[in-house]
Amino acid sequence: DTEVTQTPKHLVMGMTNKKSLKCEQHMGHRAMYWYKQKAKKPPELMFVYSYEKLSINESVPSRFSPECPNSSLLNLHLHALQPEDSALYLCASSQEASPSSYNEQFFGPGTRLTVL
Amino acid sequence: AQSVTQLGSHVSVSEGALVLLRCNYSSSVPPYLFWYVQYPNQGLQLLLKYTSAATLVKGINGFEAEFKKSETSFHLTKPSAHMSDAAEYFCVQGGSQGNLIFGKGTKLSVKP
């Protein structure tokens, strides 16, 4: 199984809502990532988890809260978002969070988030 | 700081024509280089990666890339474009912390 799954595929929420994005992989990867992608732009790294511990937080606002319950699951909790947070949110995983040509990242299909 | 430059934000070719997407990376030893493709409203799919075993790297869907250290380039090519190749292509370099450094992307259009 070389697939990263993400749910939901689409999400519409108001600025006062609380919602969560979910990501799952069963490849035994020990690094998982959240990216934000705006239209016509490359993905921007938000968070990196390595061995279930947060290793990189790219100065993301606190209204985004990541969680890694176990090595296969990654959540992104959303609260009090702004309309400018509307984007495609991508999850990815890799064997390790270390530089290597054998350490490519596998991406999920993304969650299209719209904040009203 | 490491950076990846993709020349041309939009490339248009006719079906059956050569596809050439250009990429220059930051010089680093060793460079970890990848090409990813993104179809509309989808995630990213790995096309190919440079592993230092060979300078000419073959990937999926008939794509290949040539690593040229002297030019710090990793251009992506395909001999004959197909309509299904229309997508956004990202040249990506592995960062020192295991992160990925993305180029700005090149949108490939294929005309019938």
Side-chain angles (χ1 to χ4, degrees):
Chain A
D1 184 2
T2 59
E3 192 178 18
V4 176
T5 59
Q6 290 187 244
T7 55
K9 289 188 177 180
H10 300 275
L11 179 62
V12 179
M13 61 186 291
M15 289 189 284
T16 58
N17 291 157
K18 285 186 180 181
K19 296 285 185 183
S20 296
L21 309 185
K22 296 184 184 298
C23 173
E24 191 167 4
Q25 57 88 13
H26 294 287
M27 294 178 277
H29 290 171
R30 303 316 300 264
M32 295 187 76
Y33 311 78
W34 279 116
Y35 290 87
K36 174 183 179 180
Q37 186 179 25
K38 301 285 274 185
K40 302 185 190 303
K41 298 287 187 183
E44 297 175 14
L45 182 64
M46 300 174 72
F47 304 103
V48 180
Y49 272 84
S50 178
Y51 288 85
E52 300 160 51
K53 292 192 187 319
L54 184 64
S55 62
I56 295 178
N57 176 341
E58 292 287 3
S59 302
V60 179
S62 60
R63 56 187 184 268
F64 295 91
S65 176
E67 178 196 20
C68 190
N70 60 55
S71 59
S72 300
L73 291 174
L74 186 66
N75 298 321
L76 186 63
H77 302 299
L78 314 173
H79 175 53
L81 294 193
Q82 303 297 310
E84 59 263 30
D85 296 322
S86 298
L88 181 69
Y89 287 83
L90 294 164
C91 174
S93 70
S94 64
Q95 285 188 343
E96 303 270 345
S98 58
S100 166
S101 58
Y102 297 97
N103 202 25
E104 69 262 31
Q105 292 185 20
F106 292 77
F107 284 82
T111 293
R112 176 73 60 188
L113 175 66
T114 302
V115 182
L116 301 177
Chain B
Q2 291 178 294
S3 66
V4 176
T5 303
Q6 290 185 241
L7 298 174
S9 60
H10 190 187
V11 170
S12 182
V13 301
S14 297
E15 193 172 19
L18 171 72
V19 175
L20 171 59
L21 305 182
R22 299 177 187 274
C23 172
N24 289 91
Y25 64 91
S26 292
S27 178
S28 65
V29 181
Y32 304 115
L33 298 168
F34 310 87
W35 275 98
Y36 281 85
V37 61
Q38 187 175 30
Y39 298 100
N41 298 311
Q42 293 188 28
L44 280 73
Q45 180 182 12
L46 182 69
L47 271 180
L48 50 81
K49 61 182 180 182
Y50 173 66
T51 62
S52 75
T55 56
L56 186 62
V57 182
K58 293 190 183 300
I60 61 172
N61 302 338
F63 283 93
E64 57 185 37
E66 186 173 9
F67 173 73
K68 290 188 176 180
K69 186 176 180 180
S70 61
E71 299 176 7
T72 60
S73 68
F74 191 55
H75 301 332
L76 181 72
T77 60
K78 181 174 180 177
S80 176
H82 193 271
M83 296 297 290
S84 61
D85 294 326
E88 189 85 21
Y89 291 80
F90 292 100
C91 182
V92 181
Q93 183 170 6
S96 58
Q97 299 181 67
N99 56 315
L100 296 181
I101 299 159
F102 285 82
K104 291 188 176 182
T106 297
K107 182 178 180 179
L108 175 67
S109 298
V110 182
K111 299 174 290 188

